[in-house]
Amino acid sequence: MKKWGEAMDYILAYDFGTSGVKAALVDYEGRLIGDKECGYPLLYKGGGFVEQEPQAYWDAVCKATRTVIENAGIPAESVTGMSFSTQGLGIIPLSKDGEILYNNISWVDSRARAQADEINEKLGRHEFDAADVIPKYLWIKQNMPELYEKTAYFLDCTGYLNYMATGNIAMDYSGKAPYSADEAEVKRRLSWYETAGLDVAKCPPLIPCTGYVGNLTEKAAAELGVTTAVEVYMGVVDVTCAAMGAGCCKEGDAHVYLGTSGWLTVVTGKDKFPTSQPGIWQLQAADETKHLYGGCTQCAGMALDWAIDRFYHTEKEMFARGEKPSGEENIYDLVNKEAAEVPAGSEGLLATTWLLGEGCPITDEKAKAVYVGATQTHTRNYFVNAMMEAVCYSLRMEIDDYRIDSGGKEVEKLGAIGGGAQSDHWMQMMANVTGVPVSVPENCRHSGAIGSAAIVCVGKGIYKIDEIDRFVRIGKTFYPDPEKKAIYDRQYAIWQKLYPALKDVFADLY
């Protein structure tokens, strides 16, 4: 491998979120050379329908890639590897002629509630929620039968991007295709499709996340501004990839992610826990001998941004115009400064983050965001702080779920990644709410891309999969404050009562 300072080879690593893609240029020692983010819209169509245009994904990839390479000033031929970290639980129908037939039905889409209930009833247990891919397949079969018949393969976001890059059709093992690295899991997954009456032939062949998919086609290379020498490795859903980028590669390692959505994962062993709490998934880890236990709260940064838009709208617009109304560099610096002035527990003000319903730690697409306990003494910074606390409570509840499902195992420390991890106030709050130390990598906003780059390194045989933590350099660690933890213990107990008390109200409003 070439040494730093010599002519070097680079990896193009992508981190796909709900609202945009980050393209990162990374060297083979894990150094972030440059990055560029490009957005794409969510299409809200009412009734729980949420979609995105697949072509918008690829257009954003191409635009971000050309920009990051140009800004870095590197020759196109120095890029030799590529991999995608993507949002999960989407489906993109592809015809036998390679035509994209319909929008991606997003992971936040809840149209398939009736289909999830139908399959669960036939199975005699709760296996699926409205956001899962198999109920979505069944929704298309029942509501758009011509589309279902015309579909040769249902791709996910990773599969679509690899198809655009290489022309090859595949998915990775972390999805709910009827195949797996585990023979017992194969039988279980096949039973899902049989019960739902779905055609397994419409599921693409699988490749491990570190597996080679193909080199870039001439068309893709030209659109990206690189060469066909670029080797594309399968990649994986964002949760799994982010765990790698957070340095979580050993059993018991745990991390939280705070982006548009938020999640907690813990690395577990080869065997899944026999039972899990509602909304919890147990995914195939990047290491095929391990699993990832965790759950996703659908609105984390999205909920915070929503609160900022409502309570700091004027200042946000001023910052957007290049003004600095309070001396801070951006709206988040201002919000964090004012939120840090709020006492732990926000003096009794509680919030929920459920702008899009919720998948975990509660499972109810009808749930709504609310504030409870407001008085005339609560100013705008209290409302924003309470929303940040609500995200922490959600993730603490997922830690509680892990304790239950694992038979009493504890999370002893957390890595924290995503844009929200840049907030010292939020990370200290996370440590105080959960009661465990929280460590933040230097490149916490780019952990998905760092994990994606690690996939290329493992695929090429440069590193072993249990060596990926060498990519991660810890920047700060936050330790719990016992006095504030005691306050949060009380507030958390009250917060847990909100959903049971409001469940019927949410249903009436839906």
Side-chain angles (χ1 to χ4, degrees):
M1 186 166 52
K2 297 173 184 176
K3 296 180 179 179
W4 182 251
E6 300 178 0
M8 297 190 68
D9 291 341
Y10 301 96
I11 301 165
L12 279 169
Y14 301 89
D15 182 11
F16 266 80
T18 306
S19 56
V21 58
K22 297 171 187 172
L25 195 66
V26 182
D27 72 16
Y28 282 89
E29 295 180 359
R31 294 182 178 89
L32 181 68
I33 308 303
D35 65 277
K36 174 64 178 179
E37 184 168 1
C38 289
Y40 35 75
L42 275 169
L43 307 176
Y44 296 96
K45 299 191 172 184
F49 287 44
V50 187
E51 301 174 1
Q52 288 181 311
E53 295 180 1
Q55 186 63 44
Y57 295 154
W58 184 248
D59 290 345
V61 166
C62 295
K63 181 178 180 180
T65 300
R66 291 191 298 268
T67 301
V68 77
I69 290 175
E70 180 181 350
N71 289 347
I74 64 166
E77 58 269 19
S78 66
V79 178
T80 57
M82 176 185 289
S83 186
F84 299 98
S85 163
T86 67
Q87 54 181 287
L89 297 181
I91 61 171
I92 303 173
L94 180 76
S95 76
K96 65 179 181 179
D97 299 322
E99 177 189 0
I100 300 301
L101 300 174
Y102 194 74
N103 284 343
N104 181 31
I105 300 179
S106 170
W107 69 276
V108 295
D109 185 285
S110 60
R111 73 183 68 183
R113 175 73 272 164
Q115 287 72 29
D117 291 343
E118 177 184 335
I119 300 170
N120 290 337
E121 184 176 355
K122 290 179 179 179
L123 290 171
R125 63 182 184 275
H126 184 95
E127 188 76 55
F128 297 105
D129 298 306
D132 281 314
V133 293
I134 292 178
K136 289 173 182 172
Y137 293 159
L138 184 57
W139 185 93
I140 288 180
K141 183 178 182 181
Q142 292 177 348
N143 293 275
M144 304 177 75
E146 291 184 4
L147 173 61
Y148 182 82
E149 290 301 320
K150 193 175 180 181
T151 297
Y153 293 107
F154 285 108
L155 300 176
D156 60 2
C157 188
T158 314
Y160 166 76
L161 292 165
N162 281 315
Y163 171 70
M164 294 296 289
T166 69
N168 297 326
I169 297 171
M171 286 173 63
D172 75 274
Y173 280 97
S174 69
K176 289 187 176 177
Y179 321 105
S180 171
D182 183 286
E183 190 171 326
E185 182 71 2
V186 171
K187 294 180 180 178
R188 191 168 79 97
R189 294 186 180 195
L190 285 172
S191 72
W192 296 340
Y193 284 79
E194 181 180 356
T195 299
L198 297 170
D199 185 359
V200 297
K202 294 182 184 292
C203 297
L206 266 66
I207 295 177
C209 72
T210 57
Y212 169 74
V213 180
N215 279 48
L216 287 178
T217 65
E218 290 186 5
K219 181 176 185 293
E223 291 174 339
L224 294 165
V226 291
T227 73
T228 58
V230 176
E231 296 177 353
V232 181
Y233 290 82
M234 186 68 223
V236 70
V237 67
D238 49 11
V239 175
T240 306
C241 204
M244 295 179 71
C248 293
C249 56
K250 301 175 180 64
E251 191 168 346
D253 288 351
H255 87 282
V256 294
Y257 166 79
L258 294 173
T260 303
S261 60
W263 65 64
L264 168 120
T265 74
V266 187
V267 180
T268 61
K270 182 177 181 181
D271 297 326
K272 293 183 178 181
F273 299 143
T275 60
S276 59
Q277 303 305 300
I280 292 292
W281 27 250
Q282 297 187 67
L283 300 176
Q284 180 76 54
D287 182 341
E288 293 179 19
T289 68
K290 295 180 176 65
H291 285 88
L292 283 179
Y293 174 100
C296 182
T297 180
Q298 293 188 173
C299 295
M302 181 186 289
L304 177 60
D305 284 341
W306 174 85
I308 291 171
D309 284 341
R310 270 64 189 172
F311 296 105
Y312 288 81
H313 183 74
T314 299
E315 288 83 356
K316 186 175 181 179
E317 287 191 335
M318 294 175 71
F319 278 113
R321 294 195 297 266
E323 301 173 27
K324 297 181 180 179
S326 54
E328 283 76 22
E329 290 298 315
N330 55 58
I331 187 63
Y332 295 106
D333 288 345
L334 171 61
V335 167
N336 278 302
K337 176 185 175 182
E338 293 195 1
E341 298 169 357
V342 177
S346 300
E347 295 188 348
L349 181 63
L350 293 170
T352 68
T353 66
W354 308 325
L355 294 168
L356 297 174
E358 184 57 292
C360 189
I362 66 156
T363 303
D364 188 350
E365 68 270 18
K366 300 175 183 178
K368 299 289 188 293
V370 300
Y371 281 102
V372 175
T375 71
Q376 74 275 17
T377 63
H378 289 116
T379 50
R380 64 180 186 173
N381 53 336
Y382 279 77
F383 285 87
V384 170
N385 195 69
M387 191 61 77
M388 299 170 85
E389 289 174 339
V391 174
C392 296
Y393 295 148
S394 292
L395 295 171
R396 174 170 170 175
M397 193 168 171
E398 292 183 29
I399 293 175
D400 291 347
D401 287 345
Y402 170 73
R403 186 182 302 111
I404 294 167
D405 292 337
S406 67
K409 293 182 179 179
E410 298 287 348
V411 169
E412 297 182 357
K413 60 181 180 179
L414 287 171
I417 59 174
Q422 296 178 106
S423 167
D424 288 359
H425 172 62
W426 210 354
M427 292 303 94
Q428 185 60 59
M429 179 191 292
M430 185 72 69
N432 294 338
V433 170
T434 61
V436 298
V438 176
S439 296
V440 181
E442 290 179 0
N443 291 316
C444 63
R445 285 190 66 248
H446 303 287
S447 292
I450 297 297
S452 187
I455 282 176
V456 175
C457 293
V458 174
K460 286 178 173 284
I462 297 171
Y463 299 124
K464 295 180 180 179
I465 202 162
D466 59 359
E467 297 175 333
I468 59 166
D469 50 0
R470 73 169 59 183
F471 274 81
V472 181
R473 298 173 174 86
I474 300 300
K476 298 178 180 179
T477 299
F478 301 85
Y479 296 93
D481 180 319
E483 291 184 5
K484 292 181 179 179
K485 182 182 182 303
I487 295 171
Y488 280 125
D489 285 346
R490 178 181 180 276
Q491 289 296 97
Y492 172 62
I494 299 170
W495 182 86
Q496 287 179 290
K497 298 177 182 179
L498 292 181
Y499 176 70
L502 295 171
K503 178 180 179 180
D504 291 342
V505 174
F506 294 147
D508 290 340
L509 290 171
Y510 191 69

